[in-house]
Amino acid sequence: MTGIFRQYRTELRNIFILALIVLALPYLPAFAGLALTAKGLILSAAIMGAFVLAMVLKLYFRILVLRITKEN
């Protein structure tokens, strides 16, 4: 069973992301109305900041792993 998950890891991740996007679609009009308020702008900035931080950490750890494997 775990072999199937390993083999199709990328496809399963993409399906999961697509399902999350489809589930979020009904809430987009309400979020667009909220985004025009001060509270919405703060929330949007926090989400974008968290996304940028996550991508920076992902890149940092990927470089770290590459350096470790290069040394060994």
Side-chain angles (χ1 to χ4, degrees), residues 6 12 17 22 28 41 53 58-59 71:
R6 282 190 206 136
L12 289 172
I17 291 171
V22 168
L28 287 179
L41 289 174
L53 180 63
K58 179 180 176 181
L59 182 63
E71 290 175 0

Side-chain angles (χ1 to χ4, degrees), residues 1 4 6 10-11 13-15 18-20 22 26 37 39 41-42 45 51 53 55 58 63-64:
M1 187 70 175
I4 292 173
R6 282 190 206 136
T10 305
E11 288 84 359
R13 184 195 66 210
N14 291 341
I15 291 170
L18 183 63
L20 285 177
V22 168
T37 65
K39 183 178 173 183
L41 289 174
I42 292 170
F51 182 74
L53 180 63
M55 292 299 111
K58 179 180 176 181
I63 291 170
L64 186 66

Side-chain angles (χ1 to χ4, degrees):
M1 187 70 175
T2 58
I4 292 173
F5 288 132
R6 282 190 206 136
Q7 184 177 359
Y8 296 107
R9 182 180 300 164
T10 305
E11 288 84 359
L12 289 172
R13 184 195 66 210
N14 291 341
I15 291 170
F16 180 69
I17 291 171
L18 183 63
L20 285 177
I21 291 171
V22 168
L23 287 174
L25 282 177
Y27 300 103
L28 287 179
F31 184 72
L34 175 69
L36 298 176
T37 65
K39 183 178 173 183
L41 289 174
I42 292 170
L43 185 64
S44 299
I47 290 170
M48 288 186 284
F51 182 74
V52 169
L53 180 63
M55 292 299 111
V56 167
L57 286 174
K58 179 180 176 181
L59 182 63
Y60 171 75
F61 284 113
R62 187 169 285 175
I63 291 170
L64 186 66
V65 167
L66 285 175
R67 286 184 182 168
I68 291 172
T69 55
K70 201 177 210 181
E71 290 175 0
N72 294 334

